[in-house]
Amino acid sequence: PLALATAATRVVRLVLGLVILGAYFVMDEAGRNWALLGLIPLATALVGWDPLYRLLGIDTRKLDLR
């Protein structure tokens, strides 16, 4: 699997996911369904890879120049 590039990438996804999920508690019923989308960046941050990267062929790892 293609790993996320850096710890910073994972932290950004984690914070973004938590902020979006936090909106769940302040939105009306219809908005709560949208707030559940925060599970996606949260899960990719915790797991450390993004399946969308694989589908698109994106590799954010640094090249090994040895």
Side-chain angles (χ1 to χ4, degrees):
L2 300 178
L4 295 177
T6 63
T9 305
R10 293 179 78 173
V11 169
V12 168
R13 287 174 183 250
L14 182 69
V15 170
L16 181 64
L18 290 174
V19 168
I20 295 170
L21 280 174
Y24 179 88
F25 299 103
V26 296
M27 299 185 90
D28 62 354
E29 189 173 339
R32 287 183 179 161
N33 293 332
W34 287 105
L36 292 175
L37 289 174
L39 291 172
I40 296 169
L42 184 63
T44 59
L46 294 175
V47 173
W49 66 277
D50 188 343
L52 187 59
Y53 281 16
R54 184 178 196 121
L55 289 173
L56 297 176
I58 299 170
D59 189 356
T60 58
R61 296 174 292 181
K62 293 183 178 187
L63 294 174
D64 186 11
L65 300 176
R66 285 189 266 170

